[in-house]
Amino acid sequence: MQKMLLSTLAAGALIGVTGTPALAATHHHLHGVAIQINTRRAGPAAHRQVLGANMRWTKDVGGAWNPATRSVYQRAINHAKLMGMSAVRYPGGTAATMFNWHNAVTHSGCQIEGHWNQGLGFWPARKDTNFGPNQFMRFADSIHAQPLMMTPFVRETPHDAANWVEYMNARVGTNPGGGRAWARLRAFYGHPAPYGVHYWEVGNESQVVPARYGMSNDLDKAIKQYANGGVRKITHEALGKGCLHPTVGVPSNGHSNQVFSVLFPAIVKGTLSVTINGQRWTGVRHLRSASGTAHVYTANLATGDITFGDGVHGAIPPNRAVVHASYHNTYAGYFAFAHAMHAVDPRIAVCSSWGLPKPSFPRVANGRHFDCQTAHPMTNLRYIPSHTWNTPLQGHDWMMGGLRKQQIKVTALQAQLPRHVPLLITESNALRGNYTVFPNWSSSVSHMLYQASMQQTFLRDGISWVNGSSLFSGGVNAVLGSTPNFTRGAEALERMAVKPMFHSGHDVKVSVVNAPVRNGTFGRYSGLSVTTTKSGKSLWLMVVNRLPGTAVKAHVNVGVRLRGKAQVRRVSAAHFTDYNTPTTSPVKLTTGKRAIGRSGFQAAFPAHSVSVYHLTER
């Protein structure tokens, strides 16, 4: 293995260049490159929770749930441990905006699939909903990962959120929220001890217009609504049934005792207006006093359910008719959620999820305390101004070029936060690439380089929590792909390579002299991204070569006396579009040792690769 790695290092300058002279011609400053490490300039601490991932509750967490054993597949658990998977978020982001935690715990009732919006409508998740909060915590415990819960903001209330906190964290025999003793229910489902979930997040991406669900399209107004609550004014909503809410509504089946429901309960008293075929029907307290032809209904304002005739009392909506409703819905803001959740468990941290630097959540908070803030630095590959992404190379360039914007966003958000209020990254990814011209871009080496570069940003900025790509999905486009193989793809291998440097120590100052630059398809970007951590006498150097098809040689200057051998871990492939499948593994993790000088050494970093050197001071 050692000989194989050293031969790879020696040939590094040639990897990926032969046959691709056009790529090499676009790179500058490939000579005289030097990496300068200053171990005396200590930076933020390294955090193992940077190597986290998202877990969507839908489709039995991307097929990772084994119905035969009623647990996550053991192969997936083993891979997650090897990667150092240290922070997991549940029940997800957009897919969980309508999530009902109680139904998930009891596996009763339906769930609304949240992966749509008011313009597209919502559908129920009728099957593959076995992965509830208890199952999630069992998985998190099995891989020794810290959990974070996203409590939905759209249909849930502060009371709902507080009940969930009590279910997860209260001791049996206590009932801090009053009402039902939720800890007893947890014990009934086999876990008497509190789970002790510390981090909670209120809502998901409320700053994004499709995810505002009735809040203002004006950013300045919407952030105030997210912080303080507001009133939705819903006009002529086509009603659904249960968890089915298509935009066009669910038509009547012509039968008795039909129950339709609004999308946003609870309904403000005195604001509900119901029409069928343009004719207004009347709300009554009971149907029993109505004739069989009376156009009346009863409404449960708290649940948003609207019930029509029983065949004897009250008319039945005509077959295939659509019921429409106009109403007001009052919703609470972040501070009401945080107050209710803290009342149940004052030890938890409740994070605001308004992840934009402008307008700023701290400004709207106006001195009110909040525990933490979350953000989603995401590069949307669909939106390339005035350009079309037509080749894999353009896709690679856009991923690398898009890094800078997200890095600036993270730094700006941190600068706005009050002292001792941490920024948590609960999603970080590139999304919406062109699957036609680059079908597996999201599991490719290019995407691995994007994620590795973002990890370096989080390390330098002292971010303590990061959930990156989804851990599982229905295909190869996730950290561990899909059942039953759970492929260790490019990103999984990269996490295995860098894991030791994120588990202890602190960042130290490093700079690159004559850094190579690529004139990419949509702009310039740095070819090398470098970070270093130090723990005791151990020094870890992480170098991401983002240049497609071109290796880089550099002299590494450390400034302290080193032992004569370095351990080297490297993730590389022949081409930046390569990705692993259950049957092929063109992306490889190699490990070995190499000789180094007393204070530095010459290194070759293969094209589109991630290299990690473990150095030891004398």
Side-chain angles (χ1 to χ4, degrees):
M1 179 63 75
Q2 179 179 345
K3 290 181 179 179
M4 181 179 70
L5 177 61
L6 294 179
S7 64
T8 302
L9 292 173
L14 300 177
I15 292 178
V17 176
T18 304
T20 56
L23 296 183
T26 61
H27 305 140
H28 300 282
H29 306 303
L30 291 178
H31 302 288
V33 181
I35 297 172
Q36 308 277 7
I37 301 173
N38 185 351
T39 59
R40 297 177 182 177
R41 293 281 300 276
H47 297 278
R48 63 186 296 269
Q49 278 78 23
V50 169
L51 300 179
N54 267 284
M55 296 186 70
R56 295 175 182 169
W57 70 275
T58 54
K59 300 178 181 177
D60 280 353
V61 69
W65 177 261
N66 184 346
T69 62
R70 299 185 62 80
S71 64
V72 171
Y73 285 94
Q74 188 60 46
R75 181 180 177 87
I77 292 173
N78 295 341
H79 285 347
K81 287 180 178 178
L82 284 173
M83 290 189 300
M85 183 61 59
S86 53
V88 281
R89 177 187 185 228
Y90 175 89
T94 304
T97 53
M98 302 288 182
F99 184 74
N100 183 306
W101 73 267
H102 180 259
N103 286 357
V105 163
T106 60
H107 304 295
S108 63
C110 62
Q111 294 280 3
I112 298 177
E113 160 62 75
H115 228 137
W116 308 100
N117 56 53
Q118 283 179 270
L120 298 173
F122 298 88
W123 281 260
R126 298 187 185 277
K127 59 181 181 178
D128 302 333
T129 57
N130 298 299
F131 197 77
N134 296 315
Q135 291 72 30
F136 166 73
M137 290 304 303
R138 191 189 314 163
F139 173 76
D141 289 343
S142 71
I143 64 172
H144 310 295
Q146 295 295 315
L148 178 146
M149 296 293 194
M150 190 282 287
T151 182
F153 179 71
V154 179
R155 286 168 57 93
E156 297 286 286
T157 67
H159 182 66
D160 297 326
N163 286 341
W164 193 7
V165 173
E166 181 175 326
Y167 178 87
M168 301 303 293
N169 289 359
R171 290 181 289 108
V172 174
T174 66
N175 183 207
R180 185 170 184 177
W182 292 104
R184 290 183 182 177
L185 181 64
R186 185 189 65 237
F188 173 80
Y189 282 107
H191 203 281
Y195 287 121
V197 177
H198 179 67
Y199 281 117
W200 296 77
E201 181 181 21
V202 178
N204 177 75
E205 296 183 0
S206 297
Q207 75 277 7
V208 180
V209 172
R212 291 189 196 162
Y213 305 102
M215 292 196 302
S216 175
N217 286 337
D218 180 87
L219 269 175
D220 289 320
K221 292 180 180 178
I223 190 173
K224 293 175 182 176
Q225 292 169 329
Y226 171 75
N228 306 317
V231 177
R232 296 185 182 96
K233 297 180 180 180
I234 310 299
T235 303
H236 206 57
E237 177 187 308
L239 299 189
K241 286 186 176 181
C243 290
L244 178 60
H245 289 267
T247 304
V248 294
V250 177
S252 167
N253 57 20
H255 297 166
S256 60
N257 296 309
Q258 288 186 80
V259 180
F260 295 82
S261 56
V262 302
L263 189 58
F264 301 113
I267 300 170
V268 176
K269 186 177 181 179
T271 66
L272 178 62
S273 173
V274 174
T275 60
I276 300 176
N277 293 332
Q279 182 178 2
R280 184 169 179 173
W281 289 43
T282 303
V284 295
R285 177 173 289 186
H286 303 289
L287 291 175
R288 59 177 177 263
S289 60
S291 70
T293 59
H295 288 177
V296 295
Y297 63 88
T298 61
N300 184 323
L301 300 182
T303 64
D305 292 336
I306 297 173
T307 304
F308 291 92
D310 59 10
V312 178
H313 304 286
I316 297 171
N319 189 38
R320 304 199 62 79
V322 176
V323 180
H324 289 86
S326 298
Y327 59 98
H328 292 179
N329 160 251
T330 300
Y331 59 92
Y334 162 81
F335 288 102
F337 272 80
H339 177 76
M341 295 164 76
H342 279 136
V344 171
D345 186 350
R347 299 165 298 179
I348 64 173
V350 183
C351 301
S352 157
S353 64
W354 189 275
L356 285 181
K358 294 182 180 180
S360 134
F361 188 79
R363 178 180 60 82
V364 174
N366 194 28
R368 288 174 290 180
H369 173 79
F370 60 103
D371 299 323
C372 41
Q373 182 168 321
T374 67
H376 295 172
M378 312 277 278
T379 296
N380 192 330
L381 300 171
R382 181 178 296 175
Y383 300 124
I384 306 176
S386 305
H387 294 284
T388 302
W389 171 17
N390 290 321
T391 68
L393 179 58
Q394 290 178 345
H396 175 91
D397 282 343
W398 186 239
M399 275 186 265
M400 300 307 107
L403 284 164
R404 184 59 182 157
K405 181 178 179 180
Q406 303 310 319
Q407 291 164 340
I408 291 172
K409 174 183 176 180
V410 170
T411 302
L413 280 167
Q414 274 199 301
Q416 293 174 349
L417 293 176
R419 192 177 180 184
H420 306 309
V421 174
L423 175 66
L424 280 62
I425 306 299
T426 50
E427 289 187 36
S428 177
N429 209 343
L431 70 162
R432 296 180 179 174
N434 189 332
Y435 286 97
T436 301
V437 301
F438 194 171
N440 293 287
W441 66 268
S442 61
S443 55
S444 69
V445 169
S446 292
H447 189 257
M448 173 198 74
L449 301 176
Y450 176 94
Q451 292 293 70
S453 299
M454 288 304 293
Q455 289 167 4
Q456 292 177 309
T457 297
F458 303 140
L459 173 64
R460 287 189 292 262
D461 286 352
I463 302 293
S464 61
W465 185 287
V466 179
N467 300 117
S469 303
S470 292
L471 186 54
F472 308 111
S473 74
V476 296
N477 300 318
V479 179
L480 285 179
S482 61
T483 181
N485 299 286
F486 301 108
T487 306
R488 282 190 290 185
E491 188 175 340
L493 296 177
E494 183 269 339
R495 287 167 177 257
M496 291 173 62
V498 306
K499 176 176 67 172
M501 67 183 296
F502 284 89
H503 276 231
S504 63
H506 55 83
D507 179 56
V508 297
K509 179 70 175 180
V510 62
S511 58
V512 183
V513 179
N514 291 325
V517 175
R518 172 168 166 78
N519 289 327
T521 316
F522 306 115
R524 293 161 59 91
Y525 59 86
S526 175
L528 290 187
S529 181
V530 183
T531 49
T532 310
T533 62
K534 188 177 187 299
S535 177
K537 291 186 176 295
S538 287
L539 191 66
W540 296 89
L541 170 67
M542 176 182 176
V543 179
V544 181
N545 181 358
R546 303 190 289 217
L547 300 177
T550 301
V552 176
K553 286 185 176 180
H555 189 81
V556 180
N557 301 308
V558 181
V560 295
R561 296 187 66 186
L562 302 172
R563 294 189 182 275
K565 294 282 187 179
Q567 295 178 341
V568 187
R569 300 182 178 200
R570 174 162 293 142
V571 183
S572 60
H575 201 266
F576 63 87
T577 60
D578 283 339
Y579 63 98
N580 289 347
T581 72
T583 56
T584 61
S585 300
V587 187
K588 299 185 183 300
L589 168 63
T590 55
T591 61
K593 295 182 180 180
R594 61 154 293 174
I596 58 175
R598 289 188 173 185
S599 61
F601 55 96
Q602 190 78 10
F605 304 105
H608 45 264
S609 67
V610 175
S611 303
V612 179
Y613 286 76
H614 181 201
L615 313 171
T616 306
E617 289 187 40
R618 288 183 178 272

